[in-house]
């Protein structure tokens, strides 16, 4: 019941206001200072959801893109959000279902702009089969990249890419990526088996949201650290509690019982479950029951195009 009320509240914030047509001269309420739009609530499977992607609005203006999974481009168009000031991109890791739509979204931003664009891209350092984010961006948009033409195709584009250390450390030290005009973005290493991954936190005017990215058990201590007392924790929810999912998947993801434990120990205000698949969709009651064994706060299952204000 809590999850249903939570979803209704944010999907229709005025649903419980007085009935009747609004007065013509009634002032429009101000937008939330911090708002999240889900572009993609799914994972790599072609199951009707776009893959992982989110836009964060500050004072009603889309400013930050978190991940750019398959299908996010179409969902972005459906939301009719302005791209004029969408200039910061936070990549949790470089799996296809989190990064494949970056070229399309960059080009959409370019053709929607009348002036120069300065993209600031953040993502994990490289390891093993995975390039660093700098190398990834250069392979796409660099001088000899696959889409080098985009640099001056519609508007002059500058891309500044920052690699974030993705190696786990006992100190669990947070890295500040930006602190300006009331906006603070911090990051810490996550863990997603062999894929270097990053956890992000966005704070703005006393509201906060944390993105776990795909995360396994090794990264949960870092997640607890960065999510401490956040208003909303966006948690990628891919597996059921053991032994209901394939054992190999637990080397990549976190089951509901552990999600509830992390949310409770980090004192988070609310949970948004995303990166969903049919197994999770068919087991909502079991997932909620498992999480609520430890965590008493509201829990919402994400859907593409969902808007939520932490």
């Amino acid at each position: 019941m809590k999850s249903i009320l939570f979803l209704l509240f944010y999907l229709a914030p005025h649903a419980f206001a007085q009935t009747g047509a609004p007065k013509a001269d009634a002032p429009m309420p101000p937008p939330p200072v911090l708002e999240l739009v889900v572009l993609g609530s799914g994972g790599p499977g072609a199951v009707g959801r776009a893959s992982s992607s989110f836009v964060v609005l500050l004072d009603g203006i889309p400013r930050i893109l978190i991940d750019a999974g398959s299908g996010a481009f179409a969902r972005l168009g459906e939301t009719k959000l302005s791209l004029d000031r969408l200039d910061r991109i936070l990549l949790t890791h470089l799996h296809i279902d989190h990064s494949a739509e970056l070229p399309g979204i960059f080009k959409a931003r370019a053709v929607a702009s009348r002036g120069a664009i300065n993209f600031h891209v953040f993502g994990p350092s490289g390891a093993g089969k995975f390039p660093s984010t700098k190398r990834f961006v250069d392979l796409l948009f660099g001088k000899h990249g696959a889409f080098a033409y985009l640099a001056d195709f519609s508007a002059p584009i500058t891309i500044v890419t920052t690699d974030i250390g993705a190696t786990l450390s006992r100190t669990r030290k947070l890295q500040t990526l930006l602190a300006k005009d009331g906006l603070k973005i911090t990051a810490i290493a996550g863990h997603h088996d062999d894929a270097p991954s990053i956890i992000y936190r966005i704070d703005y005017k006393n509201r906060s949201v944390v993105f776990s990215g795909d995360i396994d058990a090794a990264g949960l201590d870092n997640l607890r650290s960065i999510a401490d007392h956040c208003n909303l924790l966006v948690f990628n929810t891919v597996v059921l509690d053991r032994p209901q999912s394939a054992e190999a998947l637990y080397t990549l993801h976190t089951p509901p019982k552990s999600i509830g434990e992390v949310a409770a120990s980090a004192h988070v205000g609310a949970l948004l479950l995303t990166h969903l698949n049919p197994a999770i969709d068919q087991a909502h009651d079991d997932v909620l029951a498992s999480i609520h064994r430890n965590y008493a706060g509201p829990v919402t299952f994400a859907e593409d195009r969902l808007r939520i204000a932490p």
Side-chain angles (χ1 to χ4, degrees):
M1 180 60 72
K2 288 182 179 179
S3 65
I4 295 174
L5 290 175
F6 183 68
L7 180 59
L8 287 174
F9 177 78
Y10 286 114
L11 281 175
H14 307 298
F16 302 107
Q18 64 183 18
T19 59
K23 296 180 181 180
D25 59 350
M28 291 293 291
V33 296
L34 180 64
E35 187 177 15
L36 175 68
V37 177
V38 180
L39 298 182
S41 59
V47 296
R49 297 175 182 269
S51 297
S52 185
S53 187
F54 310 88
V55 171
V56 169
L57 285 70
L58 306 179
D59 298 319
I61 300 172
R63 296 297 307 277
I64 306 166
L65 178 74
I66 298 90
D67 283 345
S70 309
F73 178 86
R75 293 291 182 266
L76 184 58
E78 291 167 0
T79 65
K80 302 189 185 304
L81 293 173
S82 170
L83 300 182
D84 289 350
R85 297 182 64 188
L86 190 68
D87 53 11
R88 299 188 188 278
I89 295 88
L90 312 179
L91 298 176
T92 61
H93 63 289
L94 300 184
H95 277 167
I96 292 169
D97 54 319
H98 292 256
S99 61
E101 294 277 36
L102 201 59
I105 291 175
F106 271 29
K107 186 169 183 178
R109 170 74 169 87
V111 299
S113 177
R114 296 182 179 179
I117 301 169
N118 295 302
F119 284 121
H120 296 267
V121 182
F122 299 87
S125 54
K129 297 178 181 178
F130 295 91
S132 69
T133 303
K134 282 185 178 180
R135 177 63 175 153
F136 174 71
V137 170
D138 188 60
L139 287 168
L140 291 175
F141 308 110
K143 184 177 180 181
H144 301 290
F147 306 112
Y149 79 93
L150 190 61
D152 56 3
F153 173 76
S154 178
I157 295 177
T158 300
I159 305 175
V160 177
T161 308
T162 300
D163 289 338
I164 305 168
T167 302
L168 292 177
S169 169
R170 291 183 180 180
T171 60
R172 297 199 295 275
K173 184 177 180 181
L174 274 62
Q175 181 174 340
T176 299
L177 307 180
L178 175 70
K180 183 179 180 181
D181 299 328
L183 171 64
K184 185 177 182 180
I185 302 176
T186 50
I188 196 170
H191 199 271
H192 185 39
D193 195 28
D194 65 336
S197 63
I198 301 296
I199 306 165
Y200 294 99
R201 176 171 179 146
I202 298 172
D203 288 89
Y204 186 64
K205 295 183 177 178
N206 297 316
R207 309 306 296 171
S208 55
V209 58
V210 172
F211 298 88
S212 74
D214 288 354
I215 190 167
D216 60 41
L220 296 184
D221 283 342
N222 276 9
L223 179 58
R224 288 187 185 93
S225 178
I226 196 171
D228 185 46
H229 285 89
C230 68
N231 296 111
L232 179 66
L233 173 56
V234 182
F235 215 125
N236 289 12
T237 309
V238 180
V239 295
L240 299 169
D241 288 325
R242 282 184 171 92
Q244 300 175 73
S245 297
E247 187 61 29
L249 291 176
Y250 296 104
T251 66
L252 293 160
H253 299 289
T254 302
K257 181 177 182 293
S258 297
I259 292 174
E261 291 170 350
V262 170
S265 61
H267 310 287
V268 306
L271 274 172
L272 177 65
L273 307 183
T274 188
H275 207 290
L276 306 176
N277 56 40
I280 300 296
D281 290 337
Q282 295 165 17
H284 279 193
D285 290 346
D286 290 343
V287 170
L288 287 175
S290 182
I291 289 173
H292 283 314
R293 288 191 186 100
N294 294 285
Y295 176 66
V299 181
T300 300
F301 291 91
E303 294 287 349
D304 293 5
R305 299 182 299 276
L306 172 69
R307 300 179 74 125
I308 185 167

Coordinates of all heavy atoms in Angstrom, one line a residue, residues 163-207:
D163 N 37.5 10.6 -15.9 CA 37.5 9.2 -15.4 C 37.5 9.3 -13.9 O 38.3 10.0 -13.3 CB 38.8 8.5 -15.9 CG 38.7 8.2 -17.4 OD1 37.6 8.1 -18.0 OD2 39.8 8.0 -18.0
I164 N 36.7 8.4 -13.3 CA 36.6 8.3 -11.9 C 37.1 7.0 -11.5 O 36.8 5.9 -12.0 CB 35.1 8.4 -11.4 CG1 34.5 9.7 -11.9 CG2 35.0 8.4 -9.9 CD1 33.0 9.8 -11.8
G165 N 38.0 7.0 -10.5 CA 38.6 5.7 -10.0 C 37.5 4.7 -9.6 O 36.7 5.0 -8.8
A166 N 37.6 3.5 -10.2 CA 36.5 2.5 -9.9 C 37.1 1.4 -9.1 O 36.4 0.3 -9.0 CB 36.0 2.0 -11.2
T167 N 38.2 1.5 -8.4 CA 38.8 0.5 -7.6 C 38.3 0.6 -6.1 O 38.3 1.7 -5.6 CB 40.3 0.5 -7.6 OG1 40.8 0.4 -8.9 CG2 40.9 -0.6 -6.7
L168 N 37.8 -0.4 -5.6 CA 37.3 -0.4 -4.2 C 38.4 -0.1 -3.2 O 39.5 -0.6 -3.4 CB 36.6 -1.7 -3.8 CG 35.3 -2.0 -4.5 CD1 34.8 -3.4 -4.1 CD2 34.2 -1.0 -4.2
S169 N 38.1 0.7 -2.2 CA 39.1 1.1 -1.2 C 38.5 1.0 0.2 O 37.3 1.3 0.4 CB 39.6 2.5 -1.5 OG 40.4 3.0 -0.4
R170 N 39.3 0.6 1.1 CA 38.8 0.5 2.5 C 38.4 1.9 3.1 O 37.6 2.0 4.0 CB 39.9 -0.1 3.4 CG 40.2 -1.5 3.1 CD 41.3 -2.1 4.1 NE 41.6 -3.5 3.9 CZ 42.4 -4.2 4.6 NH1 43.1 -3.6 5.6 NH2 42.7 -5.5 4.3
T171 N 39.0 3.0 2.6 CA 38.7 4.3 3.1 C 37.3 4.8 2.7 O 36.7 5.6 3.3 CB 39.7 5.3 2.6 OG1 39.7 5.4 1.2 CG2 41.1 4.9 3.1
R172 N 36.7 4.2 1.6 CA 35.4 4.6 1.1 C 35.3 6.1 1.0 O 34.3 6.7 1.4 CB 34.3 4.0 1.9 CG 34.3 2.5 2.0 CD 33.0 2.0 2.4 NE 32.7 2.3 3.8 CZ 33.1 1.6 4.8 NH1 33.8 0.5 4.6 NH2 32.8 1.9 6.0
K173 N 36.3 6.8 0.4 CA 36.3 8.2 0.3 C 35.5 8.7 -0.9 O 35.6 8.2 -2.0 CB 37.8 8.7 0.1 CG 37.9 10.2 0.1 CD 39.3 10.7 0.0 CE 39.4 12.2 -0.1 NZ 40.9 12.6 -0.2
L174 N 34.6 9.6 -0.7 CA 33.7 10.2 -1.7 C 34.5 11.2 -2.5 O 35.3 11.9 -2.0 CB 32.5 10.8 -1.2 CG 31.3 9.9 -0.9 CD1 31.6 8.9 0.1 CD2 30.1 10.8 -0.4
Q175 N 34.3 11.2 -3.8 CA 34.9 12.2 -4.7 C 33.9 13.3 -5.1 O 32.8 12.9 -5.7 CB 35.5 11.6 -5.9 CG 36.2 12.5 -6.9 CD 36.9 11.8 -8.0 OE1 37.2 10.6 -7.9 NE2 37.2 12.6 -9.1
T176 N 34.2 14.5 -4.9 CA 33.3 15.6 -5.3 C 33.6 16.0 -6.8 O 34.7 16.4 -7.1 CB 33.5 16.8 -4.5 OG1 33.1 16.5 -3.1 CG2 32.5 18.0 -4.9
L177 N 32.6 15.8 -7.7 CA 32.7 16.1 -9.1 C 32.4 17.5 -9.4 O 32.9 18.1 -10.3 CB 31.9 15.1 -9.9 CG 32.1 13.6 -9.6 CD1 31.1 12.8 -10.5 CD2 33.5 13.2 -9.8
L178 N 31.4 18.1 -8.6 CA 30.9 19.4 -8.9 C 30.3 20.0 -7.6 O 29.6 19.2 -6.9 CB 29.9 19.4 -10.0 CG 29.2 20.7 -10.3 CD1 30.2 21.7 -11.0 CD2 28.0 20.5 -11.2
A179 N 30.6 21.2 -7.3 CA 30.0 21.9 -6.2 C 29.8 23.4 -6.6 O 30.8 24.1 -6.5 CB 30.8 21.8 -4.9
K180 N 28.6 23.7 -7.1 CA 28.4 25.0 -7.6 C 27.0 25.4 -7.6 O 26.1 24.6 -7.9 CB 29.0 25.1 -9.1 CG 28.9 26.5 -9.7 CD 29.4 26.4 -11.1 CE 29.4 27.8 -11.8 NZ 29.9 27.7 -13.2
D181 N 26.6 26.6 -7.2 CA 25.3 27.1 -7.2 C 24.3 26.2 -6.5 O 23.2 26.0 -7.0 CB 24.8 27.4 -8.6 CG 25.7 28.4 -9.4 OD1 26.2 29.3 -8.7 OD2 25.9 28.3 -10.6
G182 N 24.7 25.7 -5.4 CA 23.8 24.8 -4.6 C 23.7 23.4 -5.1 O 23.0 22.5 -4.5
L183 N 24.4 23.1 -6.2 CA 24.4 21.7 -6.8 C 25.7 21.0 -6.4 O 26.8 21.6 -6.6 CB 24.3 21.7 -8.3 CG 24.5 20.4 -9.0 CD1 23.4 19.4 -8.6 CD2 24.5 20.7 -10.5
K184 N 25.6 19.8 -5.8 CA 26.8 19.0 -5.5 C 26.6 17.6 -6.1 O 25.6 17.0 -5.8 CB 27.0 19.0 -4.0 CG 28.3 18.3 -3.6 CD 28.4 18.3 -2.1 CE 29.8 17.6 -1.6 NZ 29.9 17.7 -0.2
I185 N 27.6 17.2 -6.8 CA 27.6 15.8 -7.3 C 28.8 15.1 -6.8 O 29.9 15.6 -6.9 CB 27.6 15.8 -8.9 CG1 26.4 16.6 -9.5 CG2 27.6 14.4 -9.4 CD1 26.5 16.7 -11.0
T186 N 28.6 14.0 -6.1 CA 29.7 13.2 -5.6 C 29.6 11.8 -6.1 O 28.6 11.3 -6.7 CB 29.6 13.1 -4.0 OG1 28.3 12.8 -3.6 CG2 29.9 14.5 -3.4
A187 N 30.7 11.1 -6.0 CA 30.8 9.7 -6.6 C 31.7 8.9 -5.7 O 32.5 9.3 -5.0 CB 31.4 9.8 -8.0
I188 N 31.5 7.6 -5.9 CA 32.3 6.6 -5.2 C 32.3 5.3 -6.1 O 31.4 5.1 -6.8 CB 31.8 6.3 -3.8 CG1 32.9 5.6 -2.9 CG2 30.5 5.5 -3.8 CD1 32.5 5.5 -1.5
A189 N 33.4 4.5 -5.9 CA 33.4 3.3 -6.7 C 32.3 2.3 -6.3 O 32.0 2.2 -5.1 CB 34.8 2.6 -6.5
G190 N 31.7 1.7 -7.3 CA 30.7 0.6 -7.0 C 31.4 -0.7 -7.3 O 32.7 -0.8 -7.3
H191 N 30.6 -1.7 -7.6 CA 31.2 -3.0 -8.0 C 30.2 -3.8 -8.8 O 29.1 -4.1 -8.3 CB 31.8 -3.8 -6.8 CG 32.7 -4.9 -7.2 ND1 32.4 -6.2 -7.6 CD2 34.1 -4.8 -7.3 CE1 33.4 -6.9 -7.9 NE2 34.5 -6.1 -7.7
H192 N 30.6 -4.2 -10.0 CA 29.7 -4.9 -10.9 C 30.5 -6.0 -11.6 O 30.7 -6.0 -12.8 CB 29.0 -4.0 -11.9 CG 28.0 -4.6 -12.8 ND1 27.0 -5.5 -12.3 CD2 27.7 -4.4 -14.1 CE1 26.2 -5.8 -13.3 NE2 26.6 -5.2 -14.4
D193 N 30.9 -7.0 -10.8 CA 31.8 -8.1 -11.2 C 33.0 -7.5 -11.9 O 33.7 -6.7 -11.3 CB 31.0 -9.0 -12.2 CG 31.7 -10.3 -12.4 OD1 32.5 -10.7 -11.5 OD2 31.6 -10.9 -13.5
D194 N 33.2 -7.7 -13.2 CA 34.5 -7.2 -13.9 C 34.3 -5.9 -14.5 O 35.3 -5.3 -15.1 CB 34.9 -8.2 -14.9 CG 34.0 -8.4 -16.0 OD1 32.8 -8.2 -15.9 OD2 34.4 -8.9 -17.1
A195 N 33.1 -5.3 -14.5 CA 32.9 -4.0 -15.2 C 33.1 -2.9 -14.2 O 32.4 -2.8 -13.2 CB 31.4 -3.9 -15.7
P196 N 34.1 -2.0 -14.4 CA 34.3 -0.9 -13.5 C 33.0 -0.1 -13.4 O 32.4 0.2 -14.4 CB 35.4 -0.1 -14.2 CG 36.1 -1.1 -15.0 CD 35.1 -2.1 -15.5
S197 N 32.6 0.3 -12.2 CA 31.3 1.0 -12.0 C 31.4 2.1 -11.0 O 32.3 2.0 -10.1 CB 30.2 0.0 -11.7 OG 30.5 -0.6 -10.4
I198 N 30.5 3.0 -11.1 CA 30.5 4.2 -10.2 C 29.1 4.4 -9.6 O 28.1 4.2 -10.4 CB 31.0 5.5 -10.9 CG1 32.4 5.3 -11.5 CG2 30.9 6.7 -10.0 CD1 33.5 5.1 -10.4
I199 N 29.0 4.8 -8.4 CA 27.8 5.2 -7.7 C 27.8 6.7 -7.6 O 28.8 7.3 -7.3 CB 27.7 4.6 -6.3 CG1 27.9 3.1 -6.3 CG2 26.4 5.0 -5.7 CD1 28.2 2.5 -5.0
Y200 N 26.6 7.4 -7.9 CA 26.6 8.8 -7.9 C 25.5 9.3 -6.9 O 24.5 8.7 -6.7 CB 26.2 9.3 -9.3 CG 27.2 9.1 -10.4 CD1 27.0 8.0 -11.3 CD2 28.3 9.9 -10.5 CE1 28.0 7.8 -12.3 CE2 29.2 9.7 -11.5 CZ 29.1 8.6 -12.4 OH 30.0 8.4 -13.4
R201 N 25.8 10.5 -6.4 CA 24.8 11.2 -5.5 C 24.7 12.6 -6.0 O 25.7 13.3 -6.3 CB 25.3 11.2 -4.1 CG 24.3 12.0 -3.2 CD 24.6 11.8 -1.7 NE 23.8 12.6 -0.8 CZ 23.3 12.2 0.3 NH1 23.7 11.0 0.9 NH2 22.5 13.0 1.0
I202 N 23.5 13.1 -6.1 CA 23.2 14.4 -6.5 C 22.5 15.1 -5.4 O 21.4 14.6 -4.9 CB 22.3 14.5 -7.8 CG1 23.1 13.9 -9.0 CG2 22.0 15.9 -8.1 CD1 22.3 13.7 -10.2
D203 N 23.0 16.2 -4.9 CA 22.4 17.0 -3.8 C 22.1 18.4 -4.4 O 22.9 19.0 -5.0 CB 23.3 17.2 -2.6 CG 23.4 15.9 -1.8 OD1 24.3 15.1 -2.1 OD2 22.7 15.7 -0.9
Y204 N 20.8 18.9 -4.2 CA 20.5 20.2 -4.6 C 19.4 20.8 -3.7 O 18.3 20.2 -3.6 CB 19.9 20.1 -6.1 CG 19.7 21.5 -6.7 CD1 20.7 22.4 -6.9 CD2 18.4 21.9 -7.1 CE1 20.5 23.6 -7.5 CE2 18.1 23.1 -7.7 CZ 19.2 24.0 -7.9 OH 18.9 25.2 -8.4
K205 N 19.7 21.9 -3.1 CA 18.8 22.6 -2.3 C 18.1 21.7 -1.3 O 16.9 21.6 -1.1 CB 17.7 23.3 -3.1 CG 18.3 24.4 -4.0 CD 17.2 25.2 -4.8 CE 17.8 26.3 -5.6 NZ 16.8 27.1 -6.4
N206 N 18.9 21.0 -0.5 CA 18.5 20.1 0.6 C 17.7 18.9 0.1 O 17.0 18.2 0.9 CB 17.7 20.9 1.6 CG 18.5 22.0 2.3 OD1 19.6 21.7 2.6 ND2 17.9 23.1 2.4
R207 N 17.7 18.6 -1.2 CA 17.1 17.3 -1.7 C 18.2 16.5 -2.3 O 19.2 17.0 -2.8 CB 16.0 17.6 -2.7 CG 14.9 18.6 -2.3 CD 14.3 18.2 -0.9 NE 13.6 16.9 -1.0 CZ 13.1 16.3 0.1 NH1 13.4 16.9 1.3 NH2 12.4 15.2 0.0

